Amino acid sequence: MNPNPPATPGASEAVTPQALRKQYESGATVDELVTTSGLSYGTVLNRLHDAGTVMRTSWQTRRMRQNPQARQRLAAHLRTLYEQHGATLTELAAAAGETRRGARRLLIEAGGTVRTTQQTLRVRAAARAAERYKVALSLRARYEAGTTVPDLAREHSYSVATVYRLLHQAGTRMRPQHDHGPARDTRERP
């Protein structure tokens, strides 16, 4: 199965340049915006530029984060990433521009509880399963609208077997199979 299912249409359009600018100006870094939006680093920078955002240097960000309110916002943001998106401490550290220990401290300041590795793996597995089920439901809707399995496989860069498995997972009632092979001559040959 493709580990990165295609993004749903309009997902990147939902993150407007103005929304990114507002988050950036309230203390988020470009790396944090990349993590939360799912957009690429370059796309986030382009959208911030399109919104007329005045970019900060790293020392300006650090000084801004010394502000207690900015630190609280950062800690709350990291807790959201950790609890709702299944981020690891390493990912939090990267998003916050901190060490793992600093990210852990911020998480605890925000009232978060540090997970074990096994708990993190379970959270991520559940998130992947939920995403796979969404994909399965969208494939089902397209299939029931008349799209063929090979066409769905091609569109989503999946194998035909994966599409069948996802359709089965979504409880799809399959259409009767047809013989798509070359026509056979039923007469006997001499």
Side-chain angles (χ1 to χ4, degrees):
M1 185 168 140
N2 185 352
N4 298 318
T8 55
S12 62
E13 288 80 12
V15 184
T16 64
Q18 290 74 23
L20 289 172
R21 178 181 178 171
K22 183 177 177 184
Q23 292 175 39
Y24 182 81
E25 289 176 347
S26 67
T29 64
V30 174
D31 287 330
E32 291 170 356
L33 295 175
V34 167
T35 304
T36 57
S37 68
L39 300 173
S40 72
Y41 193 90
T43 301
V44 169
L45 283 178
N46 286 338
R47 290 193 182 180
L48 288 171
H49 177 72
D50 291 345
T53 308
V54 177
M55 303 304 288
R56 299 184 301 264
T57 62
S58 58
W59 69 266
Q60 289 171 321
T61 299
R62 280 193 300 275
R63 195 170 83 203
M64 177 185 226
R65 290 192 171 174
Q66 290 173 349
N67 175 343
Q69 291 84 15
R71 184 175 176 88
Q72 288 173 348
R73 282 194 305 272
L74 174 62
H77 173 69
L78 294 180
R79 182 177 179 187
T80 300
L81 288 176
Y82 192 73
E83 293 177 351
Q84 295 178 6
H85 300 285
T88 63
L89 287 176
T90 302
E91 292 166 340
L92 293 183
E98 293 274 345
T99 63
R100 280 176 44 96
R101 181 178 288 171
R104 184 179 189 278
R105 191 177 314 119
L106 285 168
L107 176 66
I108 292 169
E109 283 177 24
T113 304
V114 179
R115 295 184 303 259
T116 65
T117 302
Q118 289 301 318
Q119 290 170 324
T120 298
L121 291 173
R122 281 195 294 271
V123 166
R124 287 187 158 198
R128 281 192 308 274
E131 186 59 34
R132 260 193 321 273
Y133 190 66
K134 282 184 198 175
V135 170
L137 290 177
S138 73
L139 289 173
R140 177 183 177 175
R142 298 276 321 281
Y143 178 79
E144 289 175 348
T147 308
T148 65
V149 171
D151 288 341
L152 290 172
R154 243 185 327 278
E155 289 173 19
H156 294 280
S157 300
Y158 290 147
S159 70
V160 171
T162 298
V163 172
Y164 273 115
R165 187 171 53 252
L166 289 169
L167 289 172
H168 177 71
Q169 180 184 355
T172 308
R173 182 181 169 121
M174 302 304 290
R175 295 188 290 261
Q177 291 184 352
H178 301 284
D179 183 11
H180 294 291
R184 294 192 179 112
D185 192 358
T186 55
R187 294 178 289 161
E188 287 191 27
R189 296 182 188 235

